[in-house]
Every structure is written in C-alpha cells, then in structure tokens.
C-alpha cells in the first residue's frame, strides 16, 4: 500500500510517501521558523496561511523525488490533531480533496501517535511492548505501549510541556525562537555546578511532570545576575546549562520510575525534544545501568514531519480503517481513545 502523508499540526508543513513493502520513498519538509521568529513564537493565522502556500509544491516535490504518479497512491493520511485548529484544517481539507479526486480513502492520524511510531522508520525498530516518553513543545507524556493503538497513559505534564518550557525560558533570558536549540547550544559553554535548579515533582510518587516552576526559577536567577551586574554571556550559558540539566534529570528520573513500575526494559523517546543530545545521553546511560534499550528516530524525524504520519496511516489503513468524506479535526485528542490495530 502506497500512502501519502500530510502533516500540518503547527508550524511545519510535512509531506511524505510511504510504501508498505518498500518503506519510505520520499519526504519533504518546510519549517516556518523564520516566519514566526520575529514574533517570538507561532502565530496561528500566519501558520495556516503558510501551510496553504507550501502544501501543493511539497506534494509535487515528493511525487517527483519518488518517481510515483498520483494514480499509484492508494490512500492519504493526514494529521487530524492535536494541534492548531486552523493549521489542522489546511491539511485535512487538502487530504480529503485529494482522496476524493483520486478515488482513494483518507484517514486522520493522531499527531502524537505519529511521533511515537517515528522510530519504526529506523533500521532497528523497537519491539512491543515498551514505555514511550513523548516530549515536545505541546506534550510531555509517559505511555505504556503494547501495540499500535494499545496505549496506557502513565503520566503527563500538569502545566507546561518540556519543549514549551525550553522556549519560554529562552525568551525570559533573552534568547531567540525556537528556544530549545538555543538553550542546548549555550549549555555547551555553561559552568557545571554554578547554578543548581530544582528537579520538580521527583520527591513525590507518581509519573506526572511540572515544568512551569523551572521557568520562574530561571527568570529569578537571571534577574539576580542582572542586578549584580553579572548578566554576561557566560552567566547566560550557566543559566541555560542549569535549566537543561534540571529538565533532563527530571525526565530521566521519571523514565526510570516508569520502567520499574511496568517491568519493561525498552524505552522509546519521541517528539522534538528527543533530539536533545544531553537527554539522549542521560537516557542511554540510565538504560545501560538497567541493561535495557533506548530507541529514538533520527533527528529529522524527531520534529514534526510527514513521514511519521504516512507510516502511522499505512498501519491503520492496511487493516481497513478510514474516514468518511467530512472534514473533521481534533485540536484536543486523547491517544487512549484510538482504536487498536
């Protein structure tokens, strides 16, 4: 089965072609970072308009690179949620229009299921069951995964997601957008131990997260530096390092706890923050101590992309799942409500 995947949940337009027998044939991505950078964050209306502008050229590019023709496509998968409602509607409308024109089924895919399954695109994919850490700008969740569509939420952020906290903290200390890569870059030059931030909610049982307090702690620390005349580039690097270390250690502690609770030894990390090298190194070390395995997608498939939607869609379309012709999106959508495959 040859599936066209469309991703438009936020500020990246992703298109890909996945074949159930040959694997990923082609993928293309356009990021709107430069468009939103001057505003310090994503402007929903501008994101929607840019998806409209980019979608068809990217589809043509993917078809050309794969050597496939529209008549060969068996189905269209698209991100139906969660995400920005306007952006989601662009992808859903385009997908349903193409499916109608080509006479093929269409299926809306859960954005976070796409992230969760992205490591399946690698040469050595994880086997079920496993624990998944889904960590991005909009979500921080620990999920037990027994199969596609067989998900049990173990814990989630009660306020800001980890990626959101990275972006907001970066803005508070005077860095640009997107903040995650900026903090990671500055942290490389930070002085270990100069600042020590709290590890929120690690001193109590459970697997939920809270990152909003870390933003305040970072802001207060930076303001103290400014008041003392020490708001130097080095101090900014030191704050970035302390913040990143706090987030990474908190995530690692919770992952260790989730693995112990479930009795599993396989961990998948997915979502934009999974590209953070400090987080990968920390989780690899932890899984090494537990004699377990950690899996993640290559960096270009950690952020939003069409390949993960095409893959997830292919798995569900092959067992007969499909949508009707109506255009429906879900800005909020529980992954536990998905049908098993």
């Amino acid at each position: 089965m040859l599936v066209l995947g469309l991703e438009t949940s936020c500020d990246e337009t992703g298109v890909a072609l996945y074949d159930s027998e040959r694997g990923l044939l082609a993928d293309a991505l356009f990021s709107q970072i430069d468009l939103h950078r001057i505003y310090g964050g994503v402007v929903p209306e501008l994101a929607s308009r840019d998806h409209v502008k980019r979608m068809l050229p990217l589809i043509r590019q993917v078809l050309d690179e794969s050597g496939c023709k529209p008549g060969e496509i068996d189905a269209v998968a698209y991100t139906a949620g969660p995400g920005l409602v306007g952006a989601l509607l662009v992808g859903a409308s385009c997908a349903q229009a193409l499916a109608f024109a080509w006479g093929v089924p269409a299926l809306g895919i859960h954005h976070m299921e796409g992230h969760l399954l992205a490591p399946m695109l690698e040469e050595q994919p994880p086997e079920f069951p496993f624990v998944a850490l889904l960590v991005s700008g909009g979500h921080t969740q620990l999920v037990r995964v027994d199969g596609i569509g067989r998900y049990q939420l173990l814990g989630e952020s009660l306020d800001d997601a980890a990626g959101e906290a990275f972006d907001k903290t970066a803005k508070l200390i005077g860095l640009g957008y997107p903040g995650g890569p900026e903090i990671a870059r500055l942290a490389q030059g930070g002085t270990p131990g100069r600042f020590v931030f709290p590890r929120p909610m690690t001193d109590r049982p459970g697997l939920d997260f809270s990152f909003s307090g870390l933003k305040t702690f970072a802001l207060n620390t930076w303001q103290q530096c400014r008041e003392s005349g020490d708001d130097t580039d080095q101090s900014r690097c030191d704050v970035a390092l302390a913040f990143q270390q706090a987030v990474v250690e908190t995530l690692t502690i919770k992952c260790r706890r989730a693995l112990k609770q479930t009795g599993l030894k396989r961990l998948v990390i997915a979502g934009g923050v999974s590209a953070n090298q400090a987080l990968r190194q920390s989780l690899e070390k932890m899984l090494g101590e537990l004699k377990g395995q950690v899996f993640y997608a290559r960096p270009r498939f950690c952020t939003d992309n069409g390949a993960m939607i095409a893959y997830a869609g292919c798995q569900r379309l092959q067992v007969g799942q499909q949508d009707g012709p109506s255009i429906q999106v879900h800005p909020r959508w529980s992954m536990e409500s998905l049908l098993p495959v």
Side-chain angles (χ1 to χ4, degrees), residues 10-25:
C10 190
D11 62 338
E12 283 154 330
T13 313
V15 178
L17 268 175
Y18 181 85
D19 186 272
S20 57
E21 296 182 359
R22 295 176 289 170
L24 184 64
L25 303 183

Side-chain angles (χ1 to χ4, degrees), residues 182-206:
E182 285 293 298
I183 285 185
R185 179 180 63 82
L186 288 186
Q188 295 177 357
T191 305
R194 180 184 174 190
F195 300 118
V196 179
F197 286 18
R199 276 54 173 164
M201 296 186 69
T202 57
D203 59 348
R204 65 183 74 177

Side-chain angles (χ1 to χ4, degrees), residues 122-145:
E122 303 304 317
E123 291 185 4
Q124 295 183 326
E127 296 180 0
F128 301 112
F130 55 78
V131 171
L133 172 65
L134 302 179
V135 57
S136 67
H139 298 81
T140 300
Q141 299 177 327
L142 279 166
V143 182
R144 178 185 172 118
V145 181

Side-chain angles (χ1 to χ4, degrees), residues 1-5 17 72-77 99 102 104-107 313 317:
M1 174 176 276
L2 181 60
V3 178
L4 177 69
L17 268 175
E72 299 176 69
I73 294 174
D74 297 304
V76 183
W102 295 338
V104 299
L107 179 63
L317 285 155

Side-chain angles (χ1 to χ4, degrees), residues 172-252:
L172 291 173
I173 64 174
L175 300 178
Y177 175 84
E182 285 293 298
I183 285 185
R185 179 180 63 82
L186 288 186
Q188 295 177 357
T191 305
R194 180 184 174 190
F195 300 118
V196 179
F197 286 18
R199 276 54 173 164
M201 296 186 69
T202 57
D203 59 348
R204 65 183 74 177
L207 296 172
D208 288 330
F209 303 90
S210 174
F211 294 109
S212 63
L214 280 178
K215 295 182 308 181
T216 304
F217 201 96
L219 176 61
N220 290 339
T221 302
W222 180 241
Q223 287 179 336
Q224 290 170 8
C225 290
R226 296 183 66 181
E227 290 169 1
S228 63
D230 191 25
D231 52 341
T232 62
D233 289 342
Q234 183 59 52
S235 291
R236 188 178 275 108
C237 290
D238 296 343
V239 171
L241 175 61
F243 175 82
Q244 177 174 269
Q245 286 177 329
V247 173
V248 166
E249 187 171 340
T250 298
L251 293 172
T252 302

Side-chain angles (χ1 to χ4, degrees), residues 15 17 25-28 58-68:
V15 178
L17 268 175
L25 303 183
D27 72 283
L58 287 177
I59 292 174
R60 294 190 186 99
Q61 177 183 333
V62 164
L63 288 172
D64 289 343
E65 290 179 0
S66 66
C68 296

Side-chain angles (χ1 to χ4, degrees), residues 33-43 46 171 177:
I33 287 177
D34 290 340
L35 174 65
H36 300 288
R37 180 176 283 124
I38 59 174
Y39 302 101
V42 177
V43 180
L46 295 181
K171 189 173 183 178
Y177 175 84

